[in-house]
Structure formats: C-alpha cells, structure tokens
Amino acid sequence: LTFFTFTVQFDFIHYSSEYVSLFLLSASILILAVFVSSPRRHGWMTFAAGIILGAVPFAKVQSIPLGVVIGISCLLVLSLRKSPLKNRLKDCAIYGAGVMVVPLFFFVMTKATGCFEHMLKSYLLANVSYAKQGMSFTTSIGTFPQFLEMSRVFRAWLGFQLTMGLLLLVVVLLLGGMKSFKSFSVKLLIFSAALLIAAIYSVIAPGRHYIHYLLFLTVPSALWLMACTACFGQWAKSLKKPLHIYAVITLVMVGVVSVVATLLLNDPANRRPRGYPYKFTSYRGTPAGNAIRNLGLSGQSLAVWGWMNELFIETDMWSATSDTVLGFSWVRTMRL
C-alpha cells in the first residue's frame, strides 16, 4: 500500500534503482519473521535467506546499512533460539555461507573475465567517492526536512506513520500498558526503530537530495507503524473497562480519518487523472506524430532529437537510439 501510494511521484517511477533493493530487503524481513514465529530449524530457507541478503549490496550499495540491521537480527534470532548449541551454530554457519554466495560469484566471475579491478573501481570505490563529493553528513541531517518537502504526499504519509505510531505508544505508556507487552512486541519495536534509523542514514549519507532515495524509507516506516500497532493491540486486548474500550475505538477511528484526510489534502487536484478522463479520450496526437504516421513507416526505427518520446507511441516506431526515457514516453502521452 505504501509503495503504490508513492507511484504518483514521477521521480519514484522514473528512477527505479531502489526497486530491486526494496524487494530483497522485504524478502529478508519476511524470512526473518518466519524465523521468529517458528522455532523449528528451516534448513534450505536459512541458506536462501543468506543468499538474498548477500545480494543486497549488489542491488545498490546505498542499501548496505539496512542489510546490516536485518543480517544481525537474523543471526541473533538463529543464535538465541531454544535449541542445542550445536544446532544454533550450524544454522548461523548455514546463514553465513548463504550470505557469501553472491559476493563469491561476483568475485569469481569478474576475476575470471579480467573485470575485477574495473568492478572494484567503477562500482565500490566510485560509490564511496560519489558520497564524499556531496554535502557533509551533518549538513544532510540539518536539511533533511527540506528534503522531505520535495514530495508533499510522501512527507505527509511518512509523517503520519511516524507520529501515529509514536502516539499509540504514548497512549499505552501513559495508561500503564507496558505490563501487557510480550517480549516479542518489544523486540519488534526495537528492530523497526533500528531499521528506520538505518534507512534515514542510507537516504542522507550520499549527501545528495535526490527524491528517489526516499523510497528506502517506505518499508521501514510501514514496519514501524505496524510494530507500534501490534503493541497497542496487545494492550487493547487486556482492557476490561468500557470507558477505556471506547477511548481505544475513538483513537482508531481518528487514525483512519487522519490517513484519508492526509492523502486527500496533500494530493493536488491536477494530479488525479481519474477526475479528468476527457483529457485521455480526446487526445488525437501531436502534429509531428500525425505527419510521421501518414508516411506509413510503422515498425521502422525513429531517431528523435530531444525528449519528445511520445512520438514513438504515436507512430508505432521503435527508438533508433538508446537514450530514450521510457517513463517520459507514457507519462507525456497520458498528460497530453
């Protein structure tokens, strides 16, 4: 839900380098949840979990802090479960072996093909140099609020998730609900907070405020709200007085209304395409597109100087160059 909410922001669609990282991180969190909920040994799943996490740095170096938090959490769960020490050590070893699969594969392949030094300089060292050339870390922290302002919908939704989760915790703490918390809920809360901090670091560490970096906050912020809601739910189940129950119901209703109001008030009317169907049904193409189409060149190649990528859609011709931005093709055509 969080992910699809943000697809209204063009930069989240056009710059897609975070998508694979988000998929791998989400899969790692899902497997971590399986480890926590089921005390039995998982064998192949433990090895697969390591492989998935080991692929994270190769999807995008910027996601490494998130991977570190998830990896350490997995090792803690595997090493602290109630089973013989021999089995716990074996599970940790299997997980560690899985983590090394993808890095070893890249090392062997690049070494065998003579590309290792190129990969080392162009990918790893170049990313480090890229981060150093941006603004300092302290400056990035200070300008983080302005960074969030670049996407009004994202800022509103992220702010709601953080504040609503914190509000739920404050209510429980003020009413003495800590006693109803199970250890699992507290651990989930700590994990989600650590993951959120790592995500914020990943976003601001490069020292460049590119809006698509904010995608790294989507999963951790949603997990934070879920963890706070889980703690709140455990406390609500222990309530017996009608007044307390009514207060909980009221708070939940206020939260739901806040979500709807937040999204509606922060999404400009001109960004809601379903309200303007005539713009799509009445579109008949640009003059240039109509002129080219009349030449009967459908299926052939077309080179365009500039960013009129909608011409490829209108003329049914394919791009003769590799510099075409597909996102602009359909977005511009839809807007026209």
Side-chain angles (χ1 to χ4, degrees):
L1 176 63
T2 303
F3 175 79
F4 285 108
T5 299
F6 298 145
T7 56
V8 298
Q9 179 70 45
F10 180 71
D11 284 66
F12 292 161
I13 305 170
H14 176 54
Y15 300 100
S16 55
S17 58
E18 286 80 13
Y19 287 179
V20 177
S21 295
L22 286 175
F23 172 75
L24 295 173
L25 292 169
S26 299
S28 298
I29 294 174
L30 180 61
I31 296 177
L32 175 59
V34 173
F35 289 164
V36 173
S37 60
S38 177
R40 66 181 180 84
R41 299 184 64 194
H42 296 278
W44 65 269
M45 185 179 290
T46 305
F47 186 68
I51 293 177
I52 293 173
L53 190 69
V56 167
F58 297 92
K60 191 162 189 176
V61 174
Q62 199 172 342
S63 61
I64 288 179
L66 289 161
V68 170
V69 173
I70 297 173
I72 292 176
S73 301
C74 280
L75 288 174
L76 288 174
V77 170
L78 293 174
S79 61
L80 297 177
R81 64 175 50 185
K82 295 180 180 179
S83 64
L85 178 61
K86 179 180 178 181
N87 291 340
R88 285 181 284 164
L89 293 176
K90 186 175 181 180
D91 287 338
C92 290
I94 292 174
Y95 184 76
V99 171
M100 295 304 299
V101 168
V102 175
L104 284 176
F105 172 79
F106 268 81
F107 175 78
V108 171
M109 292 299 294
T110 54
K111 199 70 176 177
T113 56
C115 298
F116 177 74
E117 291 187 4
H118 179 69
M119 187 273 291
L120 183 65
K121 294 178 181 179
S122 299
Y123 186 67
L124 297 177
L125 298 181
N127 271 279
V128 174
S129 176
Y130 173 81
K132 289 182 178 180
Q133 293 173 7
M135 66 181 71
S136 66
F137 185 69
T138 53
T139 305
S140 296
I141 295 176
T143 56
F144 186 61
Q146 288 77 21
F147 187 14
L148 293 175
E149 290 287 344
M150 295 174 68
S151 176
R152 189 165 60 172
V153 175
F154 183 90
R155 174 180 56 82
W157 181 240
L158 178 66
F160 167 79
Q161 289 178 309
L162 300 183
T163 55
M164 190 62 188
L166 190 59
L167 176 61
L168 293 175
L169 284 182
V170 169
V171 170
V172 174
L173 292 175
L174 291 178
L175 297 179
M178 280 291 292
K179 297 179 181 179
S180 63
F181 285 3
K182 296 180 181 179
S183 60
F184 169 73
S185 298
V186 177
K187 292 175 182 176
L188 177 60
L189 197 62
I190 295 173
F191 170 73
S192 61
L195 196 67
L196 186 59
I197 293 172
I200 295 174
Y201 175 80
S202 296
V203 168
I204 65 178
R208 285 174 170 80
H209 288 173
Y210 293 140
I211 192 170
H212 57 96
Y213 288 173
L214 295 175
L215 283 170
F216 279 124
L217 295 174
T218 56
V219 174
S221 62
L223 188 65
W224 161 258
L225 181 57
M226 186 198 75
C228 295
T229 305
C231 293
F232 182 83
Q234 281 193 354
W235 168 73
K237 286 176 63 177
S238 66
L239 296 177
K240 296 180 180 179
K241 296 181 179 180
L243 182 61
H244 289 171
I245 295 176
Y246 293 147
V248 169
I249 294 174
T250 303
L251 186 63
V252 172
M253 291 181 64
V254 169
V256 173
V257 172
S258 299
V259 172
V260 177
T262 295
L263 293 178
L264 289 179
L265 294 177
N266 285 275
D267 192 14
N270 61 0
R271 294 285 296 277
R272 302 170 194 165
R274 284 178 292 183
Y276 299 87
Y278 68 88
K279 287 189 175 183
F280 308 116
T281 57
S282 63
Y283 178 65
R284 294 295 181 269
T286 61
N290 294 332
I292 297 173
R293 189 166 55 249
N294 291 334
L295 297 176
L297 302 176
S298 176
Q300 300 186 37
S301 63
L302 173 68
V304 178
W305 179 263
W307 278 359
M308 287 191 64
N309 299 297
E310 58 268 26
L311 291 178
F312 300 112
I313 307 298
E314 295 178 12
T315 61
D316 192 26
M317 301 177 70
W318 55 277
S319 174
T321 67
S322 60
D323 194 34
T324 303
V325 181
L326 295 180
F328 290 152
S329 298
W330 65 266
V331 170
R332 293 190 178 202
T333 302
M334 290 285 283
R335 287 178 177 177
L336 292 172

